[in-house]
Amino acid sequence: MAVQSLCAKLFNNLDVSCIAPPRKFWQQAVLINKSDIDTYTETLPDAETEECNYKVTFTLKDGTTGYRILGPEGGSSFFGSYDKSRSDLGYPQYIHNVSILIAGEDEASKCILDSLDKGSFVVALQLKDGTVLIYGLINGLTTGDYSYSIQEGSGGTPIVLSSLEDAPEGNLPLVYESAVPGQETEDFDDAFAVAS
């Protein structure tokens, strides 16, 4: 008999019959060293109060910042996705995936790739409607296997950062909420930097 998780229930409707949801990301990402996150607060759905929230507010340690990776705005290399499965105990778990474009064979691009391969990151992406999504907040993201070729990839290669299979996230990617109401885009544009 399969174990079925009954920890949540629906408490709102979803009508997308007359609107087109945002389907494209700005072609940039802000990568944050996981160890630079100082504090965070998640606000998740609450079945008792029937409130549907799926957001996070966070601050980085003093003197730290995220790092922006930019691609051509007409491209489609920067995007996020997630894969849902169930744990052995029947709870939902999510593998977060973020695709970014790395280009060139110079020292700077090699240093970026080396860091991505050996580090753990939280990644922020922004949809065209301004919504900022946060991937890998709890367990971080890192690169998987890839083949890098500037010859075949017009000078660069899309690189995917993902949750480790043995360390999935417990939630979907979260919507970023600034500590200053309405300042999500400014925080993203400033790479979430904290002045020291």
Side-chain angles (χ1 to χ4, degrees):
M1 180 172 139
V3 177
Q4 195 60 258
S5 174
L6 298 175
C7 298
K9 62 182 183 175
L10 286 174
F11 40 81
N12 62 313
N13 299 316
L14 177 64
D15 182 357
V16 294
S17 60
C18 295
I19 60 168
R23 300 180 328 179
K24 189 154 172 57
F25 291 90
W26 289 105
Q27 294 300 289
Q28 58 183 303
V30 175
L31 280 68
I32 302 164
N33 293 307
K34 176 120 177 46
S35 59
D36 287 345
I37 293 181
D38 188 26
T39 61
Y40 68 91
T41 304
E42 296 173 314
T43 308
L44 299 170
D46 186 337
E48 290 182 21
T49 63
E50 297 189 358
E51 289 185 29
C52 184
N53 294 300
Y54 222 90
K55 56 192 172 194
V56 63
T57 301
F58 63 84
T59 57
L60 301 184
K61 294 176 181 172
D62 285 343
T64 63
T65 185
Y67 297 91
R68 183 177 312 283
I69 308 285
L70 296 163
E73 205 44 59
S76 59
S77 296
F78 289 74
F79 62 90
S81 65
Y82 47 91
D83 302 307
K84 183 247 179 201
S85 63
R86 291 208 178 266
S87 70
D88 292 340
L89 298 175
Y91 295 105
Q93 57 188 16
Y94 305 91
I95 299 291
H96 291 192
N97 307 292
V98 171
S99 175
I100 62 174
L101 180 68
I102 303 294
E105 281 287 359
D106 61 351
E107 199 171 19
S109 34
K110 289 188 180 298
C111 286
I112 293 284
L113 279 172
D114 184 68
S115 294
L116 294 177
D117 293 344
K118 297 174 181 172
S120 181
F121 303 91
V122 173
V123 180
L125 294 173
Q126 189 175 39
L127 291 166
K128 291 284 186 162
D129 72 350
T131 303
V132 176
L133 298 175
I134 306 299
Y135 293 80
L137 178 70
I138 303 302
N139 295 317
L141 306 178
T142 191
T143 56
D145 296 341
Y146 61 84
S147 295
Y148 189 86
S149 171
I150 61 169
Q151 183 72 25
E152 295 172 4
S154 300
T157 299
I159 300 293
V160 177
L161 292 100
S162 296
S163 309
L164 294 174
E165 287 191 23
D166 61 351
E169 298 287 315
N171 295 311
L172 301 162
L174 296 160
V175 175
Y176 174 71
E177 182 178 62
S178 177
V180 178
Q183 194 169 308
E184 291 78 17
T185 295
E186 289 85 352
D187 291 354
F188 181 83
D189 290 346
D190 291 339
F192 307 98
V194 175
S196 48

